[in-house]
């Protein structure tokens, strides 16, 4: 006898036979069994748990990478005794400063110069930039002696430059949206406060210098921190600006709030000036005064390096203002003005970074030769850009200007370290930075007043630099004996 039970059992176990196409034959599909449902749900739950574990691992990995990057950066800032002397705090502060300046620049790149009529923009910028010469020409030489009379003066002076930009960023965030008349005053106020920070920081570096670190390397390390801070901040500011230019300014507001706190937390040695003297650009040496700090005239080699540095710094201010207006009215080819200006400024930033890297790597650098070569390189490339005006020559000009300015400044720092006594180095750096900032302002004013004709403007710039280079070479001292005391 035969039975159908085995076949039925086989059908129940293995399901209905499949046809050649892979589907089930013999009627509608059968619902899944409870065991299959449980297995499916169990697999899904295991997948969710695995995904959760993967997300946690990825989160921990990202957090560990971020923590590692921060710890490595802080370790580098504290290397060679910088952590013990307090220089690391100034390095971190400068990174915040550069990060905030980058946020302001990115926000205003498409607002300040590219949305206001050229004639109106040039007039307002010329007016306010002219007013910025007042603090550098009159007030700046008085800041040092004034702060010496008060405790914690320099830390609060550095903090004030951050707090002012913090307030102005908030004002700018509103002015950008409402097109308020405070746009230009607030923007140039940020510029002035940024330049004033450079002057106050210059006097702080010698006071925080560790024994195992030279002054040139310390300044190069501070400058490199600024490059890193700007590089990290720029993508964040660009991301914020996608929601509107005011958001990158509000991001800058937060950065400057943190910078203000960091400035107040600088070591007390920043305020100490016991036993220090004052360096004067003109006048005679006075060592016998009892009611004021002793005065020492600037050594010849330092004066020569300072004069040579004024050329690259003047060109930097000139290009910043001249190119901002030239490229918006006379773009090259089909390039957008914002892109062209970004390429030139980016090339200048790259050149500045290369100069810092070269200065921190080279063990020996002839300052007198370097400052002259930097000035002559600016003259040559400016003349080349005037003769063969185009995108390539403009990018080359920006790269050369940034590199020359950076190497010339490091050479000036080296000369001050070598020829100026340690007790007046703080005053020497404050005086030199004030002079260089004034040169930048004058260059910017010349760039605004220049007719918007590329060959003419760059040709005049090359002629001015050439005349200045001749003056610098003629005034070169015959002998540079160190002024050690």
């Amino acid at each position: 006898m035969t039975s159908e039970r085995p076949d039925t059992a086989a059908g129940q176990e293995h399901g209905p036979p499949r046809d050649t196409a892979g589907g089930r034959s013999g009627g509608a599909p059968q619902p899944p069994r409870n065991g299959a449902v449980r297995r499916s749900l169990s697999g899904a739950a295991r997948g969710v748990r695995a995904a959760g574990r993967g997300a946690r691992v990825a989160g921990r990995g990202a957090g560990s990478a971020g923590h590692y990057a921060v710890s490595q950066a802080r370790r580098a800032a504290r290397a060679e005794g910088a952590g013990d002397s307090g220089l690391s705090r100034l390095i971190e502060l400068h990174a915040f400063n550069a990060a905030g300046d980058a946020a302001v620049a990115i926000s205003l790149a498409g607002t300040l110069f590219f949305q206001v009529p050229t004639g109106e923009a040039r007039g307002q910028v010329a007016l306010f930039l002219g007013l910025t010469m007042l603090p550098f020409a009159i007030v700046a030489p008085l800041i040092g002696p004034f702060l010496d009379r008060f405790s914690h003066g320099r830390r609060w002076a550095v903090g004030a430059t951050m707090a002012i930009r913090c307030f102005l960023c908030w004002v700018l965030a509103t002015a950008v949206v409402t097109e308020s008349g405070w746009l230009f005053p607030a923007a140039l106020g940020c510029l002035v406060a940024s330049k004033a920070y450079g002057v106050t920081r210059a006097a702080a570096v010698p006071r925080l210098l560790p024994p195992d670190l030279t002054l040139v390397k310390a300044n190069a390390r501070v400058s490199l921190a600024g490059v890193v801070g700007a590089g990290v901040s720029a993508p964040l500011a660009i991301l914020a600006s996608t929601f509107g230019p005011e958001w990158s300014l509000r991001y800058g507001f937060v950065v400057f709030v943190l910078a203000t706190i960091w400035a107040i937390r600088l070591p007390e040695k920043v305020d100490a000036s016991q036993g220090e003297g004052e360096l004067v650009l003109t006048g005679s040496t006075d060592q016998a005064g009892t009611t004021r700090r002793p005065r020492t005239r600037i050594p010849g080699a330092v004066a020569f390096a300072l004069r040579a540095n004024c050329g690259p710094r003047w060109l930097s201010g000139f290009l910043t203002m001249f190119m901002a207006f030239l490229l918006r009215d006379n773009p090259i080819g089909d390039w957008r003005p914002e892109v062209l200006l970004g390429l030139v400024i980016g090339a200048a930033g790259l050149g500045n970074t290369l100069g810092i890297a070269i200065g921190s790597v080279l063990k020996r650098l002839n300052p007198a030769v370097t400052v002259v070569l930097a000035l002559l390189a600016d003259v040559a490339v400016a003349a080349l850009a005037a003769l063969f005006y185009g995108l390539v020559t403009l990018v080359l000009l920006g790269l050369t200007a940034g590199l020359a300015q950076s190497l010339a400044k490091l050479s000036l720092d080296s000369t001050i370290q070598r020829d100026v006594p340690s007790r007046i180095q703080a005053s020497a750096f404050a005086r030199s930075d004030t002079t260089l900032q004034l040169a930048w302002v004058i260059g910017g004013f010349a760039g605004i007043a220049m007719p918007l004709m590329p060959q003419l403007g760059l040709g005049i710039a090359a002629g001015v630099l050439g005349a200045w280079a001749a003056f610098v070479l003629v005034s070169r001292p015959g002998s540079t004996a160190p002024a050690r005391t």
Side-chain angles (χ1 to χ4, degrees), residues 218-376:
N219 280 283
R221 185 174 296 183
V222 172
S223 300
L224 188 59
V227 173
V228 174
V232 172
S233 178
L236 298 177
I238 292 173
L239 178 62
S241 67
T242 58
F243 300 97
E246 70 276 13
W247 286 105
S248 57
L249 289 167
R250 287 169 182 161
Y251 160 73
F253 167 83
V254 174
V255 172
F256 283 124
V257 167
L258 296 175
T260 303
I261 298 173
W262 241 258
I264 298 173
R265 293 181 63 251
L266 287 173
E268 295 183 358
K269 289 187 293 184
V270 173
D271 300 320
S273 59
Q274 291 82 2
E276 289 188 358
E278 181 181 358
L279 186 73
V280 294
L281 300 181
T282 59
S284 59
T285 299
D286 179 15
Q287 301 285 350
T290 57
T291 60
R292 62 181 184 180
R293 295 191 303 173
R295 297 160 59 92
T296 303
R297 187 171 181 176
I298 184 172
V302 177
F304 171 77
L306 181 58
R307 286 193 294 268
N309 266 263
C310 288
R313 195 60 62 100
W314 181 90
L315 180 62
S316 175
F318 176 87
L319 290 178
T320 300
M321 296 300 172
F322 182 65
M323 288 299 167
F325 292 107
L326 175 68
L327 294 178
R328 63 174 289 182
D329 280 8
N330 298 279
I332 301 174
D334 296 329
W335 292 88
R336 295 179 56 189
E338 299 91 333
V339 176
L340 290 171
L341 185 60
L343 289 174
V344 177
I345 295 177
L350 176 61
N352 185 71
T353 305
L354 290 175
I356 294 171
I358 293 173
S360 61
V361 170
L362 291 181
K363 295 183 178 179
R364 300 189 65 180
L365 192 69
N366 190 324
V369 174
T370 303
V371 293
V372 172
L373 291 178
L375 181 56
L376 294 178

Side-chain angles (χ1 to χ4, degrees), residues 24-407:
R24 294 185 184 275
S25 62
Q30 299 294 323
R33 300 289 185 243
N34 292 337
V37 173
R38 286 195 297 271
R39 285 193 298 272
S40 299
L41 293 176
S42 176
R46 286 195 298 271
V48 170
R49 288 195 296 269
R53 287 194 298 270
R56 288 194 295 270
V57 170
R60 286 195 297 269
S64 300
H67 182 269
Y68 176 78
V70 172
S71 62
Q72 288 298 108
R74 300 196 71 179
R75 181 179 179 182
R78 297 177 179 179
E80 298 183 81
D84 297 331
S85 69
L87 181 64
S88 60
R89 292 189 183 180
L90 185 63
I91 293 174
E92 295 168 355
L93 173 66
H94 191 64
F96 278 112
N97 172 78
D101 282 346
V104 174
I106 288 172
S107 177
L108 297 180
T111 302
L112 183 59
F113 293 111
F114 297 105
Q115 293 183 4
V116 181
T118 301
E120 179 183 347
R122 293 182 73 185
Q124 293 188 51
V125 172
L127 173 62
F128 291 108
L129 190 61
L131 292 177
T132 63
M133 298 177 65
L134 182 63
F136 290 122
I138 299 176
V139 180
L142 305 177
I143 291 177
F146 177 78
L147 293 179
D148 287 338
R149 300 177 180 272
F150 298 93
S151 177
H152 307 292
R154 289 183 179 86
R155 282 185 293 175
W156 287 104
V158 176
T161 64
M162 302 297 179
I164 289 173
R165 280 178 285 174
C166 175
F167 170 74
L168 292 177
C169 276
W170 194 263
V171 173
L172 278 171
T174 304
V176 165
V177 177
T178 62
E179 298 182 358
S180 169
W182 288 101
L183 179 63
F184 281 95
L188 288 173
C190 286
L191 177 63
V192 173
S194 178
K195 299 301 179 183
Y197 161 79
V199 175
T200 54
R201 176 184 61 84
V205 175
R207 293 182 172 90
L208 301 177
L209 189 67
D212 299 333
L213 199 64
T214 65
L215 195 56
V216 174
K217 287 187 176 181
N219 280 283
R221 185 174 296 183
V222 172
S223 300
L224 188 59
V227 173
V228 174
V232 172
S233 178
L236 298 177
I238 292 173
L239 178 62
S241 67
T242 58
F243 300 97
E246 70 276 13
W247 286 105
S248 57
L249 289 167
R250 287 169 182 161
Y251 160 73
F253 167 83
V254 174
V255 172
F256 283 124
V257 167
L258 296 175
T260 303
I261 298 173
W262 241 258
I264 298 173
R265 293 181 63 251
L266 287 173
E268 295 183 358
K269 289 187 293 184
V270 173
D271 300 320
S273 59
Q274 291 82 2
E276 289 188 358
E278 181 181 358
L279 186 73
V280 294
L281 300 181
T282 59
S284 59
T285 299
D286 179 15
Q287 301 285 350
T290 57
T291 60
R292 62 181 184 180
R293 295 191 303 173
R295 297 160 59 92
T296 303
R297 187 171 181 176
I298 184 172
V302 177
F304 171 77
L306 181 58
R307 286 193 294 268
N309 266 263
C310 288
R313 195 60 62 100
W314 181 90
L315 180 62
S316 175
F318 176 87
L319 290 178
T320 300
M321 296 300 172
F322 182 65
M323 288 299 167
F325 292 107
L326 175 68
L327 294 178
R328 63 174 289 182
D329 280 8
N330 298 279
I332 301 174
D334 296 329
W335 292 88
R336 295 179 56 189
E338 299 91 333
V339 176
L340 290 171
L341 185 60
L343 289 174
V344 177
I345 295 177
L350 176 61
N352 185 71
T353 305
L354 290 175
I356 294 171
I358 293 173
S360 61
V361 170
L362 291 181
K363 295 183 178 179
R364 300 189 65 180
L365 192 69
N366 190 324
V369 174
T370 303
V371 293
V372 172
L373 291 178
L375 181 56
L376 294 178
D378 277 345
V379 175
V381 179
L384 181 66
L387 294 174
F388 306 98
Y389 180 73
L391 179 59
V392 175
T393 53
L394 283 185
V395 171
L396 180 61
L397 177 59
L399 180 67
T400 304
L403 180 62
Q405 177 180 308
S406 180
L407 287 177

Side-chain angles (χ1 to χ4, degrees), residues 7-20 22-33:
D7 295 336
T8 303
Q12 291 175 352
E13 181 178 355
H14 300 289
R18 296 181 180 272
D19 58 14
T20 57
R24 294 185 184 275
S25 62
Q30 299 294 323
R33 300 289 185 243

